[in-house]
Amino acid sequence: MNPPRTWRRTAAALMPAAVPALMVPVFRFTVRRFGKRRGYQAGFAAYWAVCWSVALVLAGRRRLVDLWHAPAAAPQGRALMWSILLIPPAGAIATELIPNARKAGPEAALAAVGIGVTNALAEEALWRGVPLAVFPDRKVQGWLWPSLGFTAWHLVPLAVRPHARGRWPVLLGAGLIGVGYGWAAQRSGSLLAVSIAHAATDSCGVRAARNAWLPQGPGRE
């Protein structure tokens, strides 16, 4: 049974600020409890659980499943939409996959796909699915505000494990995905295309999969 509509709208409006704020103490706790590397992994596991839990409560299971169906009609501006969808995966292939794939190895590549798909589906359910279900026609609450929250969330794991190229390229990429994929989801009324593109982008993170997720040698977390 869904919560009252006014409650859902209020909670969905607060969600983009509440989730990053919540995950700061969660990551601090997991790092303190399990160490930097395993705490990073545990923090992401908690984040994925939060994504799905909040999405199921605010969007509802049936509505959330329906959002992954292909749109009934092709949205207007298909050329622009395809460009927006393909830019992040193309950038990830050029900057992450190609330079690092050989050194990372096949095990890291497989891990990157598993982690990338897991992360992309959870994030699309929360950051695009909830706004699409609750604010389908609102530009601010249904698109721009969630995009800002999605970008801000990336500061939380970056505080635990900084990216090799610094935080700004990560935040820029997250911002492009947030704004672009939020627009594409709202325009199409579907999470299908954005989820595939997001999963392809995240699956290029072979270096992160090797360094942050695969077992390390003795004495390393």
Side-chain angles (χ1 to χ4, degrees):
M1 182 177 180
N2 288 330
R5 188 181 179 192
T6 54
W7 188 93
R8 290 172 62 228
R9 292 172 69 87
T10 301
L14 294 173
M15 180 272 292
V19 169
L22 170 66
M23 295 315 300
V24 170
V26 169
F27 267 74
R28 287 177 179 171
F29 170 77
T30 57
V31 169
R32 187 168 60 249
R33 177 66 177 83
F34 301 110
K36 192 171 183 179
R37 183 168 175 276
R38 292 179 181 175
Y40 180 85
Q41 298 171 356
F44 260 98
Y47 168 62
W48 294 331
V50 167
C51 287
W52 283 113
S53 299
V54 173
L56 287 169
V57 169
L58 296 185
R61 181 182 61 82
R62 181 175 298 178
R63 176 60 174 147
L64 199 60
V65 170
D66 288 343
L67 288 176
W68 265 288
H69 291 166
Q76 295 180 346
R78 283 180 290 175
L80 176 60
M81 183 171 294
W82 277 110
S83 298
I84 289 172
L85 291 173
L86 293 177
I87 286 173
I93 290 170
T95 62
E96 290 292 333
L97 183 62
I98 292 176
N100 299 299
R102 179 175 295 181
K103 185 176 180 180
E107 188 177 2
L110 289 174
V113 172
I115 296 162
V117 172
T118 299
N119 186 66
L121 292 178
E123 291 195 324
E124 290 304 323
L126 179 72
W127 296 108
R128 258 68 72 184
V130 169
L132 190 57
V134 181
F135 302 114
D137 301 316
R138 300 284 188 89
K139 300 302 181 186
V140 175
Q141 295 105 317
W143 170 30
L144 297 174
W145 174 229
S147 300
L148 182 60
F150 174 75
T151 305
W153 134 253
H154 287 77
L155 290 168
V156 181
L158 282 172
V160 177
R161 183 176 286 272
H163 195 272
R165 297 197 309 274
R167 70 171 57 179
W168 293 113
V170 176
L171 294 178
L172 177 61
L176 289 173
I177 289 176
V179 173
Y181 288 10
W183 176 85
Q186 192 173 73
R187 178 59 65 93
S188 66
S190 171
L191 296 178
L192 182 61
V194 294
S195 296
I196 294 172
H198 194 167
T201 302
D202 287 0
S203 295
C204 293
V206 292
R207 176 173 51 184
R210 182 193 63 191
N211 295 335
W213 293 91
L214 291 180
Q216 304 293 303
R220 293 184 62 185
E221 286 191 344

